[in-house]
Amino acid sequence: MAVASSITPVGPPPAGILGLGLDSREVLATEKNNTYKNLPDQLVSQGLIPSKAYSLFLNDFNSSSGTLLLGGYDEDKFSGDLLMLPLQVDPYTGLKNKFLVSWTSLSLRDSSGSVRLEANGTNQSVPLVLLDSGYTFIMVPTTIFNFLKPTFGVINNTYVSCALQKEAKYLEFGLGGSNGPVISVSYSELAIPLRQPLNSTAGEPLCQFGLADGGSKKTFIFGEAFLRSAYVLFDLDTLAAGLAQAKWNSSLSNVREYHGRFKDHPRVRWPSANSTLSTS
């Protein structure tokens, strides 16, 4: 494999497609009830990787590179263990063919500690979120977005002060219940530099807010603004995703092959029989 320097567009708009999703999400599967072997399938069938799995490490916003490991994961790019979550059924289609996981808590952490956030008097939790590296923001329900706007000083539902990049505060996203992973997203990742400089009426530099208002849908999206803080292992054989806190800008590397759920991987942990993680 190599990095493409140019492409010949098949049709508008020109885009390169690697094809790392589930077979059942292929265009032929959705339109003609047929599938083909995509890249992970081909690599397994040719004996180049041990399982249909890959891991994603985007690194922080200021980094120029991340890593995509096919058939393995890098133990020096995350803290703790990769906690595996079963993919959830899409409520719109009734199929388990997207990287949907359950989002069960949201907290704010600063130097004084961590506080679970509440909106309108009740703890807000969203049942399903799509892990999507092709989406820039963290899409949340309107109730949570509106609740957080005063905390971040959001302007016109779109902009925040770039000074947020220097604040030692975090949003903590709990996934999969009490035994699932908790990913801390720094405020610095939620103040995204604009391509064209823009100042507030007071002359303060503005950045794009990393959260987006997702309305009242049944599913929401955790894009790059979330995934930069997470190391994610996608297991296409078992229909699961494992997450841990990303370890930014690590100069070390300890790559491990991933042989699937029923093999020994000391830093990959699956829910126990009495876990509260949902498998629906």
Side-chain angles (χ1 to χ4, degrees):
M1 295 180 64
V3 176
S5 57
S6 64
I7 62 171
T8 301
V10 176
I17 300 175
L18 187 56
L20 291 174
L22 297 162
D23 294 347
S24 54
R25 286 287 294 167
E26 294 169 355
V27 173
L28 284 177
T30 57
E31 295 184 359
K32 298 184 178 181
N33 198 29
N34 191 15
T35 61
Y36 60 89
K37 287 187 176 182
N38 61 14
L39 181 61
D41 287 309
Q42 292 285 2
L43 293 176
V44 170
S45 65
Q46 294 175 33
L48 298 175
I49 60 174
S51 64
K52 285 174 56 178
Y54 59 90
S55 59
L56 183 66
F57 173 68
L58 296 182
N59 217 336
D60 71 3
F61 194 84
N62 295 314
S63 178
S64 60
S65 65
T67 58
L68 171 68
L69 285 176
L70 298 164
Y73 57 97
D74 191 336
E75 289 188 336
D76 279 317
K77 296 297 188 290
F78 60 90
S79 302
D81 294 333
L82 285 166
L83 301 182
M84 303 300 292
L85 302 176
L87 300 187
Q88 304 294 304
V89 173
D90 185 342
Y92 293 104
T93 65
L95 302 175
K96 191 180 290 188
N97 63 356
K98 297 180 181 178
F99 295 120
L100 285 170
V101 297
S102 57
W103 172 27
T104 48
S105 70
L106 178 63
S107 301
L108 172 64
R109 177 165 61 87
D110 57 20
S111 58
S112 63
S114 180
V115 177
R116 185 183 176 103
L117 297 181
E118 295 185 3
N120 299 326
T122 59
N123 288 329
Q124 295 295 300
S125 62
V126 179
L128 300 177
V129 291
L130 177 67
L131 304 176
D132 185 359
S133 62
Y135 182 69
T136 302
F137 308 106
I138 301 173
M139 181 191 291
V140 298
T142 297
T143 52
I144 292 180
F145 185 84
N146 288 339
F147 181 75
L148 290 174
K149 280 167 57 176
T151 301
F152 289 91
V154 180
I155 301 172
N156 295 333
N157 289 339
T158 305
Y159 305 110
V160 291
S161 169
C162 292
L164 284 176
Q165 295 175 339
K166 299 180 180 179
E167 292 204 28
K169 296 181 180 180
Y170 305 84
L171 282 181
E172 296 185 325
F173 296 84
L175 304 171
S178 59
N179 296 321
V182 177
I183 304 300
S184 296
V185 178
S186 168
Y187 277 24
S188 64
E189 296 295 302
L190 300 176
I192 304 171
L194 298 168
R195 293 184 178 180
Q196 297 294 328
L198 180 68
N199 292 336
S200 68
T201 54
E204 185 178 30
L206 295 178
C207 285
Q208 180 90 34
F209 189 30
L211 298 186
D213 185 349
S216 56
K217 302 175 182 178
K218 294 180 181 179
T219 63
F220 298 87
I221 306 175
F222 281 11
E224 288 182 22
F226 171 84
L227 292 172
R228 288 185 182 279
S229 298
Y231 191 96
V232 188
L233 173 65
F234 297 97
D235 184 336
L236 280 65
D237 284 324
T238 313
L239 300 181
L243 292 94
Q245 189 71 38
K247 191 186 295 183
W248 287 340
N249 301 308
S250 172
S251 59
L252 303 175
S253 182
N254 185 19
V255 175
R256 301 278 187 165
E257 287 189 344
Y258 179 73
H259 293 267
R261 175 170 186 173
F262 300 104
K263 301 294 183 179
D264 183 27
H265 303 96
R267 292 186 61 191
V268 177
R269 188 148 54 89
W270 291 83
S272 60
N274 59 353
S275 171
T276 62
L277 299 188
S278 169
T279 56
S280 61

